[in-house]
Amino acid sequence: LESKNIEKPTTSPGAENVHKQPFIIGVAGGAASGKTTVCDMIIQQLHDQRVVLVNQDSFYHNLTEEELARVHEYNFDHPDAFDTEKLLDSIENLRHDRAVDIPNYDFKSYKSNAFPARRVNPSDVIILEGILIFHDPRVRELMNMKIFVDADADVRLARRIRRDTVDKGRDIGAVLDQYSKFVKPAFDDFILPTKKYADIIIPRGGDNHVAIDLIVQHIRTKLGQHDLCKIYPNLYVIQSTFQI
Ligand code: C5P
């Protein structure tokens, strides 16, 4: 057996030490649009990959005593409500193969340090999920794929009322006030304008199995290419012509 024309994968010096970069997926959309369901379904279908989910909610600023005393006047739907520097720092660490501690935000006490933080290890796939995850260009630029989950405003409001009254124990009057004062205006001013950055827009959120199947197929294809290019940055052709 003689091999002919076999061009070995040409790697730059030390390329064997080049670590694989994670494939980063951004999932944005209004509150209660079905983002979490979409992420859960993607994670479930990518069960053979190491996938981590990072929620933008984990990066809510802690409120001052003054803000806490007037919490109903605080706009949790404004980009400034999030500590984006800390989010960027965490992603940068994960990209460089370093584990990070991600806060577990408590919607009842409005604190990001009420519970122990979650240790997140570097992974093949990182899903960044949040209402305003496409807002900052530095975060957007880290993403290999951007998904916007679309749902009608009445569907989002109905889900939100159920979630906030049942899960968060909030008063329905306060939920409706917050919706008309902050949630709806912020959706129109900050969230909806980021839809244009999406590669894929999913109507009907988690109910859209066809869209999720297609997305997972695409991620698998991209993961294959992504891995190869990261391992062999100068790989052009592998000719495997064998002659007996
Ligand atoms: O999980 P989801 O993306 O739906 O969470 C975002 C929503 O959580 C925002 O619309 C914001 O108004 C709400 N929120 C809240 N109370 C907090 C923090 C966020 O109602 N303490």
Side-chain angles (χ1 to χ4, degrees), residues 38-52:
V38 167
C39 293
D40 287 347
M41 290 171 81
I42 294 175
I43 293 168
Q44 225 173 34
Q45 293 196 29
L46 285 177
H47 52 86
D48 53 339
Q49 304 282 340
R50 292 184 309 156
V51 187
V52 289

Side-chain angles (χ1 to χ4, degrees), residues 27 34-43 147 149 202 205-207 212 215:
V27 180
K35 298 186 294 300
T36 309
T37 312
V38 167
C39 293
D40 287 347
M41 290 171 81
I42 294 175
I43 293 168
I147 300 170
V149 181
I202 311 188
D207 296 335
I212 290 160
I215 288 167

Side-chain angles (χ1 to χ4, degrees), residues 155-196:
V155 172
R156 284 186 279 111
L157 176 59
R159 281 201 199 128
R160 186 178 179 109
I161 292 172
R162 189 190 301 270
R163 195 173 68 178
D164 285 5
T165 55
V166 178
D167 302 344
K168 296 182 188 162
R170 294 186 183 170
D171 166 70
I172 187 161
V175 174
L176 293 174
D177 284 349
Q178 184 192 12
Y179 187 82
S180 53
K181 197 168 171 190
F182 298 121
V183 181
K184 186 176 165 50
F187 180 81
D188 294 336
D189 294 346
F190 303 114
I191 302 173
L192 194 55
T194 68
K195 189 170 165 178
K196 63 175 174 283

Side-chain angles (χ1 to χ4, degrees), residues 30-32 35 57 60 76-77 105 107 110 129-131 160 163-164 168 170 178 183:
K35 298 186 294 300
D57 291 345
Y60 268 118
F76 288 101
D77 293 73
Y105 186 72
F107 283 88
Y110 307 98
E129 182 247 308
I131 51 171
R160 186 178 179 109
R163 195 173 68 178
D164 285 5
K168 296 182 188 162
R170 294 186 183 170
Q178 184 192 12
V183 181

Side-chain angles (χ1 to χ4, degrees), residues 3-194:
S3 66
K4 230 177 132 186
N5 291 336
I6 299 175
E7 212 171 286
K8 285 215 174 107
T10 48
T11 55
S12 48
E16 55 283 3
N17 295 327
V18 173
H19 78 89
K20 286 193 288 172
Q21 291 274 316
F23 188 83
I24 303 183
I25 305 165
V27 180
S33 59
K35 298 186 294 300
T36 309
T37 312
V38 167
C39 293
D40 287 347
M41 290 171 81
I42 294 175
I43 293 168
Q44 225 173 34
Q45 293 196 29
L46 285 177
H47 52 86
D48 53 339
Q49 304 282 340
R50 292 184 309 156
V51 187
V52 289
L53 177 64
V54 175
N55 284 300
Q56 193 179 24
D57 291 345
S58 299
F59 297 90
Y60 268 118
H61 284 294
N62 265 321
L63 304 191
T64 61
E65 288 302 318
E66 216 172 299
E67 286 165 336
L68 265 179
R70 301 152 71 95
V71 78
H72 298 303
E73 290 167 29
Y74 191 88
N75 189 351
F76 288 101
D77 293 73
H78 192 278
D80 292 347
F82 298 96
D83 187 346
T84 303
E85 301 305 320
K86 195 168 169 189
L87 170 80
L88 277 165
D89 191 53
S90 298
I91 305 307
E92 215 38 48
N93 275 316
L94 286 174
R95 288 181 72 219
H96 289 92
D97 244 357
R98 296 188 286 265
V100 291
D101 290 325
I102 306 273
N104 264 316
Y105 186 72
D106 179 17
F107 283 88
K108 283 191 177 153
S109 66
Y110 307 98
K111 286 190 165 66
S112 63
N113 52 5
F115 301 122
R118 176 171 63 109
R119 173 54 52 119
V120 171
N121 290 313
S123 290
D124 303 321
V125 180
I126 300 174
I127 304 182
L128 301 178
E129 182 247 308
I131 51 171
L132 286 160
I133 206 73
F134 294 166
H135 186 263
D136 191 302
R138 296 168 299 167
V139 182
R140 271 200 321 267
E141 277 159 20
L142 295 172
M143 296 170 182
N144 301 95
M145 184 188 213
K146 297 186 213 69
I147 300 170
F148 190 95
V149 181
D150 226 359
D152 289 343
D154 56 348
V155 172
R156 284 186 279 111
L157 176 59
R159 281 201 199 128
R160 186 178 179 109
I161 292 172
R162 189 190 301 270
R163 195 173 68 178
D164 285 5
T165 55
V166 178
D167 302 344
K168 296 182 188 162
R170 294 186 183 170
D171 166 70
I172 187 161
V175 174
L176 293 174
D177 284 349
Q178 184 192 12
Y179 187 82
S180 53
K181 197 168 171 190
F182 298 121
V183 181
K184 186 176 165 50
F187 180 81
D188 294 336
D189 294 346
F190 303 114
I191 302 173
L192 194 55
T194 68

